[in-house]
Amino acid sequence: MDFAFGPEDERFRAEARGWLAEHFTGPFAALAQQSGGHPGEGHGDMAARRAWERELGTGGWIGIGWDRTDGAYGNRAATLTQQVVWAEEYARAGAPGRLGHIGENLLAPTLLAHGDSAQRARFLPTIARGEELWCQGYSEPDAGSDLAGLRTRAVHDPGEGTYRITGQKIWTSLAHEADWCFVLARTEEGSQRHHGLSFLLVPMDQPGRIEVRPIRQLTGTAEFNEVFFDGAVARAEHLVGGAGHGWRVAMSLLAVERGVSTLVQQIGFAQELSRVVRLALETGAAAEPVLRDRLIRQWAELKVMRWNALRTLGTAQNPAREPAREPARNARNPAQDAAPRKAVPHDLPPRSADAQAPGFRDAGPQDPGAPSVAKLLWGGWHQRLGELAMQVRGAAAALGPARWTAGRPYELDAFQRLFLFSRADTIYGGSDEIQRTIIAERVLHLPKDSRR
């Protein structure tokens, strides 16, 4: 079983690197990620970032690796290893955080798994061209991590062929920029918990029926929003997976969010860690034994997360086979190893004939606890990285990069944004407490907590 990048992967890398060198220039170059981490995505030139999405779509770099069993809706076929190659090259180029990642990485796989042919034909091409942006309508003020407690309702009108949605969603990423929202709503009167929910695709351009209110955070930016639905209209043909089956669709989407995408996420984490390590070396902070131990521990934990993600993917793609074991290695300089690099043997998912086929349908993690374990691992790790960045900075971490003025009262550098933004990592996307409950109930089969 071969775990290394092969010749086709390296040709794919050369193509990706060449395209980025040619196109990530001019006005787009101003969007480059800043040194020291860039966790917030609610600021910057949004018009330019939308134009960059369309540039990626024109170049064929959105939707790579989408399942082609039922059609070629994405721009090009790509194996899992080639998707990792693209993520590495994108990060190496310093390209900006993606505005279209929710549509590309969450909704598209969900439509491929649960949508009908008309839904796939309508929405996947516009996502692949970078023309339509999506947001996720899950969390509510009284149902954040406890998604099954949501109260937003959608009433079906058979005469009009529509659903009328009323309720509130919160912490909705990039809702102020999104063209569409996939909404989990209660469509069966009197239903409770995960019963009677439906997954609806809702256009955001409905003045008087949808109101978006940005939520300003500690970082001074407003990536998240409150969204109020007051009779918002969704067409019946935009119901995904059937009425009352929204919980199954929603859980499938969350498995995607915490499955393959975690491997790509870790590439960005490695870059952030590399910058913190470089800062520690430049300032001399790395000479302090306790701090040096924390840096090495952070590097080792990132390696463990990567190997866990590879193990999970290997199990999902080859469920009948025992996943290969990672050979032991000696610790190396974390400053050298944290940055994305060319893979070495045993550093990538197994390349079986099935997994390499363009139409391979990744079923996601087979272990029901795998997504929760992944979330627990990366949430705490990233939060500790933010704390470590401040410890490396020392007293200077309390000062902004420039003098605050009435016109610019809240200036932060990238390391400060990393620290403040990462405080929420153990809460959003399912709090640590909820993830532990899922593991306890669904994996260990411990008695369930009573819920009122």
Side-chain angles (χ1 to χ4, degrees), residues 256-443:
V256 172
E257 182 179 18
R258 298 169 188 159
V260 175
S261 62
T262 61
L263 200 57
V264 176
Q265 178 190 52
Q266 289 161 15
I267 294 171
F269 285 174
Q271 285 205 324
E272 290 178 341
L273 175 59
S274 181
R275 291 166 186 145
V276 173
V277 170
R278 284 199 297 270
L279 179 65
L281 294 172
E282 291 167 2
T283 61
E288 201 278 311
V290 174
L291 183 56
R292 186 169 62 250
D293 180 70
R294 285 196 63 186
L295 290 168
I296 294 173
R297 180 181 295 273
Q298 201 77 17
W299 166 81
E301 289 175 350
L302 181 59
K303 279 293 184 183
V304 171
M305 285 197 299
R306 180 175 178 83
W307 294 334
N308 181 67
L310 294 173
R311 178 192 62 82
T312 301
L313 291 174
T315 302
Q317 293 179 4
N318 303 279
R321 303 178 184 178
E322 178 72 17
R325 299 184 181 275
E326 177 76 19
R329 297 183 189 167
N330 295 324
R332 291 191 290 263
N333 184 343
Q336 296 175 352
D337 202 68
R341 56 179 173 77
K342 180 177 178 180
V344 296
H346 306 288
D347 206 29
L348 288 169
R351 294 190 297 155
S352 66
D354 291 339
Q356 289 295 291
F360 176 72
R361 187 184 293 270
D362 183 4
Q366 302 295 314
D367 180 353
S372 294
V373 170
K375 176 59 172 62
L376 280 172
L377 289 174
W378 75 253
W381 183 92
H382 200 229
Q383 195 172 86
R384 291 190 296 275
L385 179 65
E387 295 168 354
L388 184 56
M390 293 299 96
Q391 188 175 359
V392 167
R393 290 281 306 278
L399 301 175
R403 183 179 295 276
W404 291 9
T405 65
R408 304 182 71 178
Y410 202 73
E411 287 293 305
L412 298 172
D413 64 30
F415 288 107
Q416 291 167 328
R417 286 199 305 274
L418 169 63
F419 168 69
L420 292 174
F421 193 90
S422 64
R423 303 317 297 164
D425 282 338
T426 54
I427 300 173
Y428 70 78
S431 69
D432 281 9
E433 292 80 3
I434 290 293
Q435 303 308 331
R436 292 189 178 99
T437 297
I438 291 172
I439 294 170
E441 294 180 354
R442 302 182 188 175
V443 180

Side-chain angles (χ1 to χ4, degrees), residues 17-36:
R17 183 174 295 184
W19 187 91
L20 286 164
E22 180 180 354
H23 292 266
F24 190 54
T25 57
F28 294 134
L31 300 174
Q33 299 221 23
Q34 300 179 31
S35 175

Side-chain angles (χ1 to χ4, degrees), residues 52-224:
W52 174 242
E53 291 291 321
R54 295 190 293 273
E55 186 77 6
L56 288 169
T58 301
W61 296 105
I62 298 178
I64 65 173
W66 280 355
D67 180 4
R68 296 193 167 205
T69 303
D70 302 308
Y73 300 102
N75 282 315
R76 68 181 71 204
T79 64
L80 178 58
T81 53
Q82 288 167 351
Q83 292 173 58
V84 174
V85 164
W86 166 247
E88 286 187 337
E89 291 304 311
Y90 192 88
R92 188 194 64 83
R98 294 286 312 286
L99 286 182
H101 72 94
I102 294 176
E104 178 185 8
N105 299 323
L106 300 185
L107 179 65
T110 303
L111 289 180
L112 288 166
H114 300 283
D116 58 36
S117 58
Q119 291 166 350
R120 292 193 290 265
R122 162 60 185 86
F123 294 110
L124 295 183
T126 56
I127 294 173
R129 292 195 297 266
E131 294 174 354
E132 290 182 339
L133 301 181
W134 286 79
C135 61
Q136 177 177 346
Y138 274 20
S139 295
E140 298 183 6
D142 294 322
S145 295
D146 184 17
L147 185 59
L150 63 84
R151 297 180 181 177
T152 295
R153 297 191 175 277
V155 178
H156 185 212
D157 185 334
E160 291 186 357
T162 62
Y163 283 86
R164 294 280 181 167
I165 303 169
T166 302
Q168 178 187 358
K169 298 294 182 178
I170 198 168
W171 308 118
T172 310
S173 301
L174 299 174
H176 58 298
E177 290 291 329
D179 304 294
W180 288 79
C181 181
F182 49 89
V183 175
L184 193 61
R186 200 165 292 283
T187 53
E188 293 183 11
E189 188 68 28
S191 62
Q192 295 183 356
R193 304 299 299 166
H194 59 276
H195 301 288
L197 302 175
S198 295
F199 190 98
L200 293 158
L201 310 180
V202 184
M204 292 292 287
D205 187 13
Q206 299 191 48
R209 293 175 175 168
I210 297 180
E211 180 185 0
V212 177
R213 298 180 189 173
I215 302 172
R216 191 160 299 279
Q217 295 132 219
L218 286 172
T219 56
T221 59
E223 293 82 8
F224 303 115

